[in-house]
Amino acid sequence: MSQNKVQSEPIQNPRVTWEGCSVLLDVNNGDRLLFARLSPGATLKIGNKNCSLHPLVGCPFGSLFQVENKKEGPNLCRFVPSTEDNHVQEKGDCPIKKETKDNRAIIDNNKAQSLSGEDIDAMRRHGATGDEIVEALIANSATFEKKTSFSQEKYRLRKQKKYAPRVLLRRPTSFSICEAYFKKYPIRIGFMREDTLSLLLSMANVTANSDVLVVDMVGGILTGSVAERLGGSGYVCNTYLGSTPPPMDIMRMFNLNYETCMRVVRCSLNDLCSVHNGIFEQFDQHEDSSNAESQTSQTTVSETTIPSVSKSCKPPKAGENASEKLLKLWKENGFSSLIIAAPELDAWSLVKDLLPVLSYSAPFAIYHQCLEPLATCMHNMQLGKMAIGLQISEPWLREYQVLPSRTHPCMQMSAFGGYILSGTRIHSNLFSSE
Amino acid sequence: MLVDPTKGISLTRCIRVGDLVVAYERHDTMKAVKVCDSLVLQNRFGVFKHLDWIGNPFGTKVFSKKGRFVYILAPTPELWTLVLSQRTQILYIADISFVIMYLEIVPGCLVFESGTGIGSLTTSLSRAVAPTGHVCTFDFHEQRVASAREDFERVGVSHLITVGVRVQGEGFPDEFSGRAHSVFLDLSQPWLAIPLAGKMLKPDGILCSFSPCIEQVQRSCETLRSSFTGLVEVLLSTYEVREEKINCFQGYEGGSLVCPPCKKKQRPSEGSNVQKNLCSPVVMARPSGEDRDHTGYMTFARLRCL
């Protein structure tokens, strides 16, 4: 294998954080998910205290931190769990011993713990680590020994989450961003689940050097995901109805580099179609469309305050208006694919106008929360012979927990991922071999 | 597969000799064909001369002497997967698209795969890492390795993929230790390969193991221990769409029995108490019967950051 053709670093998205970058913080193993920016002075509220996020700068994505009580206040410290830590499955080295205990003798009367709140505060003031407090609580619990090993594990975990909370530093990617939003604020992304988003990207053949047309009314997550897959080549043109582009806030969480951002452009539907139809109009430069990116709006998924971002930490601007040169290029060649995620718009009206600006043999994928608009759209496309390979799919995703003797699907399953209408645009010219 | 950075994507380019195209008959019947001016495509619709396709744009409809037609499409990894799926059991689009997203594969990434199988996922991986990344894929079956190399050559992605032979228990090439962004395993005994795959990964790199059986999953998870991040199953159900005229009945009491209210006004019929009206046609969707069922479980894990 030749070494020189095997690259080791993607064009964007480094593996180590830097000042001003966007991060996804996972507190206590999924209990709380929030986006933050590592600007100077940024903090994270845990319990009722604020911790500085400064220790996270310069650390690899995937690092784990634990809140430790220091004299100056709570501090996030880099933490590497030992291999005996965390999961009961570690103890699965020895054969699973038969559980002899059960909880019949345990009475829940709130009297089992002999350490009081003041005792714990005193321990904190003396510099006890979170783990030491957890051990002390276990030692002072009258019922701990009587619990089953599963119960003991749950108890330890509960105490650890409260007294020694852990924060996982995660990289924002289309997957982690979509997963976080779907869990916490699904309405912001039109209830588009992560498997649904992944299908849109595949069905529309999003790849480097393609020119993808998107209608994104899901906060910018679609545009960001397409841009991430383009990796600094090709273009993603974000088109919209009316004269005001919809918000693209979620795109700012992606840590897209300069080159990639420059290739995210916008154009109103009117302008796009009129250029395509040969009516060259003087389209006005919408001043507010570029300003939409530089707003320091509250876009996190939780209550963490984002301090005002200093100039050096500002993410590169994306979403400039498409130049005339680009529009002419697209008029000649067409777009290589189309993705629509606009839960409040009618699919057919959009498709009617947008399909003609695609290249022939270009794939498209349309997402909707409801089946009916897609069924109508598909039917009309069949009647108009506008596309082939038309298919309406409903993605289905089931997650499982895997633990010794406790492997089963997760207790809550999302029944809701929406629907996708996909197909390929065809050339309507009839050609016969005779 | 149209990932040429010098030309950009230009699907208005016309079909030329030497192009790989997909001859599309139906959603479940299509064939990959290499265009040659002296050849023909023969199927139940008749005979199609390649010569007639040359010079026409992709997406063109072409006719046989019988008057039946097929469409000539530009290949995409999705169409390629559908073409391959007619040969054998493979990963389908729902699994492929989810894996690419979970493994965070973007242009420039280095991805390892074992086994290659028929190369369906490999093609999609190559699209995701293009133009600067690379896919190293391995299979224990020498014949399959050779066929895969040929296929990737045909499809035009061989500059992005390296295919090698690796038998069960054997490690991956040392020169790439700690350099892979992600690893994908589709093996009958993945627990044997997991520690070896782990050596290839960068810290926080992601592994996916695809297994049809839950016992394989459990054994894999024992090996993964606390690196395990999730177990998932994905499927796609499909719907068919039809336009139907529904019969609306008005009962004796005047209340409608079956469907939503009619648009047509009630017209008194001659001497009959039960009035039957046809509503204007309605477009309806219902699940289609052809859905695929279980393909496999996907187990994910991340390499710890130290």
Side-chain angles (χ1 to χ4, degrees), chain A residues 61-359:
Chain A
F61 283 108
S63 306
L64 193 59
F65 294 81
Q66 187 160 294
V67 176
E68 288 301 342
N69 302 303
K70 295 273 152 70
K71 293 248 157 54
E72 321 82 65
N75 208 6
L76 281 168
C77 299
R78 185 86 193 273
F79 171 78
V80 179
S82 58
T83 46
E84 294 92 50
D85 218 344
N86 286 337
H87 293 278
V88 155
Q89 65 201 56
E90 301 296 355
K91 300 175 188 141
D93 276 356
C94 44
I96 311 277
K97 38 187 215 289
K98 221 173 159 221
E99 188 61 66
T100 49
K101 291 179 262 198
D102 58 37
N103 58 8
R104 71 186 85 184
I106 298 177
I107 302 163
D108 191 359
N109 58 6
N110 246 4
K111 295 205 179 90
Q113 179 55 250
S114 51
L115 274 183
S116 69
E118 290 93 45
D119 293 331
I120 294 171
D121 283 338
M123 284 181 78
R124 274 212 189 104
R125 280 197 300 275
H126 285 104
T129 64
D131 289 331
E132 285 164 353
I133 294 176
V134 173
E135 289 307 320
L137 285 164
I138 289 173
N140 282 286
S141 162
T143 49
F144 189 78
E145 285 307 310
K146 298 191 203 134
K147 291 183 200 258
T148 64
S149 58
F150 297 157
S151 288
Q152 288 181 346
E153 184 200 342
K154 276 192 185 166
Y155 182 90
R156 181 186 291 274
L157 197 61
R158 254 193 355 258
K159 296 303 169 195
Q160 177 258 300
K161 283 185 179 184
K162 186 168 177 190
Y163 295 102
R166 290 188 184 157
V167 179
L168 178 64
L169 176 61
R170 289 180 62 184
R171 184 193 295 114
T173 62
S174 55
F175 186 82
S176 63
I177 296 171
C178 190
E179 189 191 33
Y181 267 95
F182 192 76
K183 280 199 171 95
K184 307 288 174 177
Y185 278 83
I187 199 165
R188 291 245 194 111
I189 55 167
F191 290 90
M192 189 166 58
R193 206 172 51 207
E194 56 270 22
D195 56 321
T196 312
L197 177 58
S198 73
L199 277 162
L200 289 177
L201 297 172
S202 284
M203 286 170 161
N205 192 29
V206 176
T207 181
N209 291 311
S210 30
D211 291 328
V212 184
L213 180 61
V214 305
V215 179
D216 181 338
M217 303 213 46
V218 285
I221 194 171
L222 174 62
T223 312
S225 302
V226 172
E228 189 185 68
R229 287 279 179 96
L230 290 180
S233 65
Y235 283 92
V236 45
C237 178
N238 183 309
T239 187
Y240 50 94
L241 283 182
S243 54
T244 321
M248 292 285 117
D249 303 326
I250 301 182
M251 198 168 54
R252 289 165 60 223
M253 290 166 198
F254 275 83
N255 284 329
L256 299 173
N257 67 9
Y258 179 82
E259 186 54 52
T260 308
C261 285
M262 287 300 106
R263 286 163 178 280
V264 177
V265 295
R266 286 173 151 175
C267 185
S268 76
L269 198 82
N270 274 338
D271 290 342
L272 195 67
C273 294
S274 57
V275 167
H276 180 79
N277 294 329
I279 311 161
F280 291 110
E281 281 172 14
Q282 190 68 34
F283 33 83
D284 33 302
Q285 299 296 310
H286 298 290
E287 295 293 318
D288 43 333
S289 67
S290 350
N291 287 339
E293 300 324 304
S294 43
Q295 277 169 32
T296 50
S297 51
Q298 269 63 54
T299 56
T300 52
V301 185
S302 96
E303 330 76 58
T304 300
T305 53
I306 303 182
S308 56
V309 177
S310 69
K311 279 222 160 61
S312 58
C313 301
K314 239 179 171 179
K317 235 191 316 184
E320 299 286 348
N321 277 326
S323 64
E324 234 182 278
K325 183 172 149 210
L326 271 178
L327 289 171
K328 278 202 187 127
L329 184 72
W330 290 330
K331 178 179 148 73
E332 276 169 36
N333 294 341
F335 287 95
S336 47
S337 59
L338 166 68
I339 309 182
I340 300 177
E344 284 157 40
L345 299 179
D346 176 47
W348 170 239
S349 345
L350 283 173
V351 164
K352 212 165 26 127
D353 290 334
L354 292 177
L355 217 61
V357 311
L358 295 185
S359 294

Side-chain angles (χ1 to χ4, degrees), chain B residues 38-295:
Chain B
S38 54
L39 294 179
V40 298
L41 168 71
Q42 200 155 10
N43 61 25
R44 64 213 161 112
F45 291 157
V47 173
F48 299 87
K49 292 191 213 157
H50 291 204
L51 199 57
D52 297 333
W53 309 345
I54 296 168
N56 283 293
F58 285 97
T60 297
K61 192 173 181 179
V62 297
F63 289 83
S64 69
K65 281 201 175 132
K66 285 197 217 171
R68 309 291 294 276
F69 58 84
V70 297
Y71 290 93
I72 305 300
L73 300 178
T76 65
E78 281 63 48
L79 288 174
W80 186 245
T81 296
L82 290 170
V83 166
L84 291 177
S85 69
Q86 289 149 40
R87 270 148 74 171
T88 183
Q89 170 71 23
I90 52 163
L91 278 175
Y92 297 103
I93 189 174
D95 299 300
I96 292 173
S97 57
F98 190 80
V99 161
I100 292 181
M101 187 130 150
Y102 199 117
L103 293 184
E104 297 174 359
I105 300 176
V106 292
C109 281
L110 176 61
V111 182
F112 275 67
E113 178 193 26
S114 184
T116 316
I118 207 143
S120 161
L121 172 67
T122 327
T123 325
S124 293
L125 290 174
S126 69
R127 170 183 61 186
V129 305
T132 49
H134 205 78
V135 181
C136 296
T137 183
F138 302 86
D139 205 277
F140 72 94
H141 199 268
E142 287 196 31
Q143 173 71 46
R144 262 214 284 263
V145 166
S147 306
R149 279 202 193 110
E150 271 173 36
D151 273 344
F152 300 144
E153 190 67 55
R154 280 171 77 196
V155 169
V157 291
S158 51
H159 61 291
L160 294 164
I161 307 175
T162 306
V163 195
V165 177
R166 188 194 76 91
V167 298
Q168 194 161 263
E170 196 185 312
F172 295 92
D174 275 327
E175 52 191 311
F176 299 111
S177 272
R179 290 177 56 191
H181 295 89
S182 10
V183 175
F184 180 84
L185 300 176
D186 182 359
L187 301 167
S188 53
Q189 299 181 78
W191 49 91
L192 297 175
I194 283 169
L196 305 165
K199 287 208 181 102
M200 292 296 114
L201 281 172
K202 293 182 185 237
D204 204 40
I206 315 162
L207 176 136
C208 175
S209 173
F210 181 85
S211 299
C213 303
I214 197 72
E215 294 83 359
Q216 292 168 308
V217 170
Q218 287 176 303
R219 241 182 119 176
S220 302
C221 287
E222 279 165 33
T223 319
L224 288 169
R225 297 179 159 202
S226 56
S227 299
F228 170 81
T229 54
L231 174 66
V232 153
E233 203 187 352
V234 290
L235 290 173
L236 267 189
S237 347
T238 51
Y239 287 76
E240 54 184 36
V241 166
R242 282 207 309 236
E243 194 176 42
E244 300 262 325
K245 293 194 165 96
I246 317 172
N247 293 329
C248 285
F249 286 84
Q250 285 287 346
Y252 290 92
E253 288 79 26
S256 74
L257 286 173
V258 174
C259 355
C262 263
K263 282 192 185 162
K264 270 190 176 171
K265 277 210 146 74
Q266 208 51 0
R267 252 185 270 128
S269 67
E270 299 74 3
S272 165
N273 281 328
V274 177
Q275 278 136 0
K276 177 175 148 181
N277 287 312
L278 283 177
C279 287
S280 36
V282 172
V283 174
M284 300 199 289
R286 68 171 189 193
S288 77
E290 312 170 347
D291 286 349
R292 285 181 196 110
D293 300 315
H294 177 71
T295 53

